[in-house]
Amino acid sequence: MEAVLADLAANWPLYTAIPVVAALIGYVTKRVAIEMMFRPMEFIGIKGTFLGWQGVVPRHGGRMAATATDLLTRNVLDVSDVFARIDPDRLLREIEQPLLKAVDDIAREVLSEHHPRLWQRLPPMAQDLVVKHIQAASPRLFHQVMEELRNNIDDILDIKHLSMQRLTHNKALLVKLIRETSRPEMAFIARSGIYFGFTLGIVQSIVWALTKNPLVMPIFGAAIGLFTDWLAIKLIFVPRDPIRLPGGFVLQGLFQRRRAEVAHQYGDMIAGELLTVRNLMQGIFDGPRSDHLVAMVRKLVAEAIDEQSQAAGPFVPAALGRQRLDEIKDAAATKVIERLPDILRHAEDYLARAMDVTNIVEQRMMRMTSLEYEGLLRPAFRQDEWKLIAVGGAIGFIVGELQVLLMLH
């Protein structure tokens, strides 16, 4: 024991440096593990072999996007609730002028294309009267379209397909979604490496003083890298539910404790990056179920034209003929479908406020079970988690070997 104490006294700078180096190992291994989760976005190395790396999240982007989408559509967002918040009267006020302009253009284009002789014979004042008559009926038609859209949105908009498509085609968005909502957890992992590493480093210095075994440093270095990586990840999620300890202390996973903050942040990102008004409109008009919308609009436009024809008297169908009237219905419906996205763009601000995706997501997340909520982030760590921990151990082992050289010289 006297020899050990003498050695400690003689080489105290080196022994003091061991916990500091161990803390550095802990921090570096954590930073490396964090960056390896997200970077690089594309594979760097020899393709077709294990010699290389791609960030865990972008590498498993499809699987993670599927998990995130499933969670989003199953537990977080009901698209029918979103569209039920839209007030057709208020929406009509927002797009009234663009709608009337579109109706004017459509009416003149369709009539001049499908019955040019009749249309050209009408004086400009008569043409204007016909157009104004059609415009007067357009708000009712728009109301019908919006009511059908709200009542049948699940048949028209495939929200799961939309979310999956956006996240798989945009790896950066998937990375941002996970990284931004977990930034405090990532910082905690990095800081924990310092605390855990320093503590284990004190034990390491004592063992080295007692044994002077060259294996002590690399073994402890690997242990620091492995154990602290594993422990830091566990402390993010476990325990899921708060455990009250004597003295008023509460033990709960960091991610679980931040639910209110994460819910608001996640809602902001979903509303601002993924399910924007433009993305939703694109999903409605160009998505895999858009044929339902086309059929619905064609039916409503045909009914509106029939109603207008009957109101004008029996001579209109007779003058036009059934075939030409059907052509006018099809042409008008096609042009309405083409113009609707542009018309609705004038109401983007109102639609964003009315649908309030951020608030819906936030409220739903606060009602999740602890296990469901954990699913927001846990898959990002679960994929190739062992590789991240192994890398931490390998770095710790290498630094431990360097420590041996330092201590022996």
Side-chain angles (χ1 to χ4, degrees):
M1 181 57 72
E2 290 182 3
V4 171
L5 293 175
D7 182 49
L8 285 171
N11 299 288
W12 67 266
L14 290 176
Y15 283 105
T16 303
I18 291 176
V20 175
V21 173
L24 182 62
I25 294 173
Y27 179 77
V28 170
T29 56
K30 304 303 163 294
R31 292 305 314 176
V32 170
I34 290 169
E35 294 306 316
M36 287 178 67
M37 285 184 62
F38 304 108
R39 297 182 184 177
M41 201 69 72
E42 302 295 337
F43 181 84
I44 295 179
I46 303 175
K47 292 189 175 181
T49 72
F50 63 90
L51 300 175
W53 185 259
Q54 183 181 12
V56 173
V57 173
R59 181 183 178 189
H60 298 283
R63 198 182 311 166
M64 289 189 180
T67 301
T69 298
D70 184 61
L71 180 70
L72 179 68
T73 55
R74 179 164 40 89
N75 297 323
V76 178
L77 194 66
D78 184 342
V79 70
S80 59
D81 287 348
V82 173
F83 278 80
R85 292 169 172 244
I86 299 173
D87 181 353
D89 292 325
R90 173 64 189 279
L91 179 59
L92 183 58
R93 290 199 299 272
E94 293 285 335
I95 54 91
E96 183 176 12
Q97 293 307 314
L99 176 64
L100 294 176
K101 175 67 168 61
V103 170
D104 185 298
D105 293 341
I106 292 171
R108 294 178 188 278
E109 288 170 11
V110 170
L111 290 172
S112 62
E113 288 173 9
H114 293 274
H115 209 312
R117 284 186 298 177
L118 177 62
W119 183 249
Q120 289 168 8
R121 286 176 184 173
L122 291 175
M125 185 178 294
Q127 290 180 353
D128 291 343
L129 285 174
V130 171
V131 170
K132 288 186 183 301
H133 188 69
I134 297 172
Q135 285 178 324
S138 60
R140 184 172 169 228
L141 175 61
F142 181 79
H143 261 283
Q144 290 176 319
V145 171
M146 287 307 302
E147 285 299 328
E148 289 289 331
L149 181 63
R150 293 202 312 168
N151 295 335
N152 300 281
I153 190 63
D154 289 320
D155 296 327
I156 296 170
L157 174 61
D158 188 342
I159 194 72
K160 193 166 187 176
H161 176 269
L162 171 62
S163 302
M164 185 74 179
Q165 185 182 51
R166 292 284 168 183
L167 290 175
T168 52
H169 290 177
N170 190 348
K171 295 177 183 177
L173 176 58
L174 180 62
V175 167
K176 182 179 180 181
L177 188 64
I178 295 174
R179 187 158 200 167
E180 290 301 316
T181 53
S182 64
R183 193 168 291 280
E185 283 70 32
M186 300 303 171
F188 167 78
I189 289 176
R191 289 196 308 270
S192 69
I194 298 174
Y195 307 142
F196 298 149
F198 188 84
T199 303
L200 290 174
I202 294 174
V203 178
Q204 182 183 22
S205 63
I206 294 172
V207 174
W208 171 261
L210 294 173
T211 64
K212 291 292 176 50
N213 189 327
L215 293 177
V216 167
M217 294 300 181
I219 289 175
F220 264 86
I224 291 169
L226 289 168
F227 176 71
T228 57
D229 276 11
W230 173 83
L231 183 59
I233 292 174
K234 289 298 178 186
L235 287 177
I236 289 176
F237 302 104
V238 179
R240 292 192 183 100
D241 298 308
I243 297 175
R244 303 197 176 279
L245 304 175
F249 293 102
V250 177
L251 187 63
Q252 188 180 20
L254 177 61
F255 190 61
Q256 295 287 353
R257 289 203 307 269
R258 286 199 320 116
R259 181 184 293 214
E261 179 185 345
V262 171
H264 182 74
Q265 188 176 21
Y266 197 77
D268 275 342
M269 293 195 65
I270 293 296
E273 302 277 356
L274 184 60
L275 301 183
T276 64
V277 173
R278 290 202 177 188
N279 289 348
L280 290 171
M281 291 300 114
Q282 185 176 354
I284 289 172
F285 291 103
D286 299 320
R289 299 178 185 173
S290 59
D291 56 325
H292 293 278
L293 175 69
V294 172
M296 179 193 75
V297 172
R298 287 190 181 282
K299 175 176 175 292
L300 293 173
V301 169
E303 291 174 354
I305 291 176
D306 283 337
E307 188 176 318
Q308 291 292 309
S309 300
Q310 292 170 5
F315 69 90
V316 173
L320 293 175
R322 176 53 55 188
Q323 181 178 351
R324 184 165 291 175
L325 189 59
D326 288 339
E327 290 174 355
I328 288 175
K329 291 177 186 178
D330 288 339
T334 299
K335 291 183 181 296
V336 167
I337 293 166
E338 290 174 354
R339 298 291 290 268
L340 261 178
D342 288 330
I343 294 171
L344 289 171
R345 280 200 187 96
H346 290 83
E348 278 189 9
D349 290 341
Y350 163 71
L351 288 171
R353 293 193 306 271
M355 293 190 291
D356 197 9
V357 172
T358 298
N359 192 45
I360 292 178
V361 170
E362 188 173 349
Q363 290 177 355
R364 289 288 182 90
M365 284 179 63
M366 293 304 294
R367 295 199 297 266
M368 281 180 174
T369 66
S370 298
L371 185 60
E372 289 170 344
Y373 170 72
E374 181 181 300
L376 285 172
L377 186 60
R378 191 70 182 94
F381 287 91
R382 191 174 286 117
Q383 297 292 341
D384 288 346
E385 181 178 306
W386 68 271
K387 292 182 181 179
L388 301 177
I389 296 174
V391 167
I395 294 175
F397 185 88
I398 293 170
V399 175
E401 289 283 6
L402 296 176
Q403 281 183 294
V404 171
L405 296 176
L406 177 65
M407 298 299 289
L408 293 177
H409 293 83

